[in-house]
Amino acid sequence: MPQNPPSQPQKNNYRVFGNMALVVPKELEEFEKSSSLTSPRPFDIRFQVPNFRDFLRTREVGEFLSGALAGAMTKAVLAPLETIRTRMVVGVGSKNIYGSFIEIIEQQGWQGLWAGNGINMLRIIPTQAIELGTFECVKRTMTSAQEKWNQIESPKVQIGHVNINFSLSWISPVSVAGAAAGIVSTLACHPLEVLKDRLTVCPDIYPSLSIAISKIYRDGGVGAFYAGISPTLIGMLPYSTCYYFMYEKLKKSYCQTKKKKSLNRPEMLLVGAFAGFTASTISFPLEVARKRLMVGAVQGKCPPNMAAALAEVIRDEGLTGLYRGWGASCLKVVPSSGITWMFYEAWKDILLVEKRIL
């Protein structure tokens, strides 16, 4: 029986890349040659330009614009209350609302009630847009993550006889979204808050926006625009978390009780106002310390940190000093919260035409 000749081992080619040699099988090399001869494939790159009109119709853009418009309209109406509240919180002038109102009229005229309102409008438009947009986005993301997490078995870790179940069911998406909204908007817009406070409290030293920017930068550089950022974040965290949690919880409970799908405009006004009142009352001492730190440098007696600011207030005015200006704050925050939510929901109804994406 004839024997087949032994098969010759196929010789592989080597391709060198720098200091590395790559072994290429002979079959692959022959396939590449035949493919290049029969059907060469052109190198094609395609770019697709996004449709700008479709982009503007997305839910995120609609929520962003709704927040900006709601914030601008609210601040335009309530600017005098913001001016009075800031003066009382930092201890400038009279200690009551009526006295502060009269002082402003006598010293600066009616336009004094809107002192710093230009920068306030520039501040509130991006602040409310970022804050409400972040809140909606994080809330949807957290809710979706919880639903997906609950559909599958949660990861478990066993340590001896103890089983640890990693579950997201105990986390409130609204609370996480509220905290994230406050932190992100504060980091983005804090310099505008510093400018607004300087223009409001010391109009003689900072008569215009351009002078305020140049003087603050000359005195402290870029870091001066972030004066008091730590206490601001500390104060914003409980306020923002409580504010959004109370609004969503009250809205949901009220709709379930009345067997309704959504609130009407007056109900949004009341629910938003109560949420703002609760959040402001809880976090107001931190707001007092924050304002002291932000404008203390102007008066030449800036406390070194938030704890020192709180101790200074208690030493000078007692525990009641922690709530000095609380009435003026509620007078501003309560209607502001209610009006903001009412305008925000109204603008969402206008800009987000397709109700299904809500």
Side-chain angles (χ1 to χ4, degrees):
M1 182 174 180
Q3 296 182 354
N4 294 328
S7 58
Q8 297 294 329
Q10 294 181 354
K11 296 182 179 180
N12 297 325
N13 292 331
Y14 292 87
R15 296 183 183 178
V16 180
F17 300 91
N19 296 326
M20 299 178 60
L22 179 64
V23 180
V24 181
K26 188 175 182 181
E27 293 87 346
L28 180 59
E29 185 182 28
E30 293 176 353
F31 175 76
E32 290 178 350
K33 290 180 178 179
S34 62
S35 299
S36 62
L37 293 174
T38 57
S39 57
R41 180 177 296 177
F43 187 72
D44 187 15
I45 298 179
R46 296 181 181 180
F47 294 96
Q48 183 176 2
V49 179
N51 192 320
F52 187 69
R53 182 175 298 178
D54 292 340
F55 172 74
L56 292 178
R57 291 177 179 175
T58 60
R59 172 166 46 188
E60 289 75 12
V61 173
E63 291 165 350
F64 187 90
L65 293 176
S66 298
L69 292 170
M73 295 173 69
T74 302
K75 287 300 178 184
V77 175
L78 300 178
L81 293 179
E82 172 71 11
T83 301
I84 294 173
R85 183 185 74 96
T86 301
R87 290 171 62 92
M88 293 185 65
V89 167
V90 300
V92 175
S94 178
K95 296 183 179 181
N96 59 73
I97 298 173
Y98 180 75
S100 295
F101 177 80
I102 296 300
E103 283 183 354
I104 295 173
I105 297 299
E106 292 178 348
Q107 296 174 5
Q108 306 175 40
W110 287 98
Q111 65 272 18
L113 294 172
W114 278 267
N117 189 54
I119 184 62
N120 201 24
M121 294 293 288
L122 293 177
R123 176 188 68 88
I124 200 61
I125 290 174
T127 299
Q128 286 293 86
I130 295 172
E131 185 173 325
L132 289 167
T134 302
F135 170 74
E136 298 282 9
C137 182
V138 175
K139 184 180 71 171
R140 280 195 302 270
T141 303
M142 286 295 300
T143 302
S144 177
Q146 273 192 343
E147 292 175 353
K148 293 179 180 179
W149 198 277
N150 293 332
Q151 291 175 359
I152 61 176
E153 187 176 358
S154 302
K156 297 180 180 180
V157 175
Q158 184 174 357
I159 304 176
H161 298 287
V162 179
N163 291 325
I164 302 176
N165 186 10
F166 292 93
S167 175
L168 296 178
S169 59
W170 59 274
I171 300 177
S172 170
V174 175
S175 298
V176 175
I183 292 173
V184 172
S185 63
T186 299
L187 291 175
C189 304
H190 186 77
L192 296 176
E193 178 74 13
V194 173
L195 287 170
K196 189 266 297 183
D197 286 340
R198 299 290 178 91
L199 290 169
T200 302
V201 177
C202 303
D204 296 335
I205 302 177
Y206 305 101
S208 67
L209 177 60
S210 59
I211 293 177
I213 293 174
S214 61
K215 184 172 178 58
I216 293 173
Y217 181 78
R218 184 172 62 252
D219 294 342
V222 177
F225 290 97
Y226 281 90
I229 184 64
S230 296
T232 298
L233 290 173
I234 295 174
M236 175 58 68
L237 190 61
Y239 174 82
S240 183
T241 303
C242 179
Y243 176 58
Y244 286 99
F245 178 81
M246 287 296 297
Y247 177 79
E248 290 289 327
K249 204 70 175 178
L250 289 171
K251 182 176 70 171
K252 184 177 180 180
S253 300
Y254 185 82
C255 290
Q256 289 177 348
T257 301
K258 297 294 183 179
K259 297 180 179 180
K260 302 172 60 176
K261 292 184 178 180
S262 61
L263 302 176
N264 56 37
R265 299 293 179 249
E267 290 169 345
M268 290 176 187
L269 181 66
L270 293 175
V271 171
F274 187 77
F277 169 80
T278 305
S280 178
T281 302
I282 292 174
S283 62
F284 193 77
L286 299 177
E287 172 73 3
V288 173
R290 182 179 74 87
K291 291 291 185 180
R292 285 292 182 95
L293 287 171
M294 291 181 66
V295 301
V298 178
Q299 299 176 347
K301 51 178 183 178
C302 181
N305 52 56
M306 194 170 195
L310 290 171
E312 180 181 291
V313 174
I314 296 174
R315 184 180 63 251
D316 296 342
E317 306 177 36
L319 290 175
T320 56
L322 296 176
Y323 280 89
R324 181 185 180 185
W326 175 76
S329 179
C330 289
L331 189 62
K332 174 258 178 183
V333 170
V334 171
S336 175
S337 301
I339 294 172
T340 297
W341 277 113
M342 185 179 66
F343 281 145
Y344 176 66
E345 299 289 355
W347 277 111
K348 279 208 305 182
D349 290 343
I350 295 172
L351 297 177
L352 304 180
V353 180
E354 297 182 4
K355 303 296 182 181
R356 290 174 297 177
I357 67 176
L358 293 175

